[in-house]
Amino acid sequence: MLEAVRQQLESDPGYLVDPACPYPEQLRDLLRRLVTRPEPGEPGMEDLIFRAGQTEGEQADSLIEEVQNAINSMKRLQRDIDASDDVGDRLAFLKNYGALMDRFLSLKEKANGIKQMYDFQRLVIGVMEQVLDKDGRLDFKERLKAANIAVD
């Protein structure tokens, strides 16, 4: 149902403000808030998920935080829909709720895995630099290159 609204908005940006829009005013207000993007310079542009100069670990943290924010937004949407009198909207939301939660949790697991791998690599490289002499480090890096693993 949300996909249909998105497609309608692509062809008619004023769809949600048009009096002929079939949705109740409360739902239209909610949909406008969900689909409206801030203009450059408006509040919200600083909330980008990834910023220049972030390490892989910081990017994983940002992704985990974004997934948590999406889950929280979905919970707020559920509260708004539960307050609505439209049974169709409730059913549509419930129909998609499980699949969305599954996707969000899968993304969060993947981001946690990326973060753990980054932390592990950082630890190995740190120990390698502390324990091995220059020749040992060079030999270790050559072995990693031979195994097709890039290390800087």
Side-chain angles (χ1 to χ4, degrees):
M1 197 172 191
L2 289 175
E3 178 63 19
V5 171
R6 186 192 65 75
Q7 289 175 356
Q8 186 66 32
L9 285 169
E10 280 182 4
S11 63
D12 179 12
Y15 175 67
L16 292 174
V17 293
D18 187 346
C21 181
Y23 300 110
E25 186 60 37
Q26 182 182 10
L27 182 58
R28 285 190 280 174
D29 288 342
L30 175 65
L31 290 171
R32 276 193 297 271
R33 284 185 297 206
L34 288 174
V35 299
T36 304
R37 292 187 180 144
E39 295 296 322
E42 283 188 32
M45 290 305 289
E46 67 277 354
D47 294 336
L48 297 175
I49 299 171
F50 303 116
R51 289 175 279 298
Q54 282 184 315
T55 65
E56 288 182 27
E58 291 168 335
Q59 287 180 352
D61 286 339
S62 294
L63 185 57
I64 291 167
E65 184 179 341
E66 184 64 20
V67 169
Q68 290 169 330
N69 289 339
I71 291 170
N72 290 336
S73 293
M74 194 168 65
K75 197 64 179 171
R76 285 190 297 274
L77 177 61
Q78 180 184 17
R79 195 174 37 238
D80 290 344
I81 287 176
D82 285 345
S84 169
D85 293 334
D86 191 341
V87 175
D89 289 339
R90 286 185 189 158
L91 290 174
F93 180 82
L94 290 174
K95 178 181 173 184
N96 295 307
Y97 183 80
L100 286 172
M101 284 301 286
D102 185 48
R103 287 180 183 160
F104 285 145
L105 294 176
S106 175
L107 284 171
K108 188 173 178 184
E109 271 181 23
K110 288 176 183 177
N112 277 324
I114 290 168
K115 174 134 175 68
Q116 288 174 349
M117 181 56 75
Y118 174 76
D119 289 342
F120 175 75
Q121 288 173 345
R122 213 176 71 227
L123 175 71
V124 168
I125 298 300
V127 169
M128 179 187 76
E129 288 177 350
Q130 292 174 359
V131 174
L132 298 175
D133 63 3
K134 185 177 180 180
D135 292 333
R137 286 193 301 266
L138 184 60
D139 181 47
F140 183 72
K141 287 181 180 182
E142 290 300 320
R143 290 181 188 199
L144 288 176
K145 285 181 185 176
N148 207 16
I149 302 172
V151 175
D152 292 325

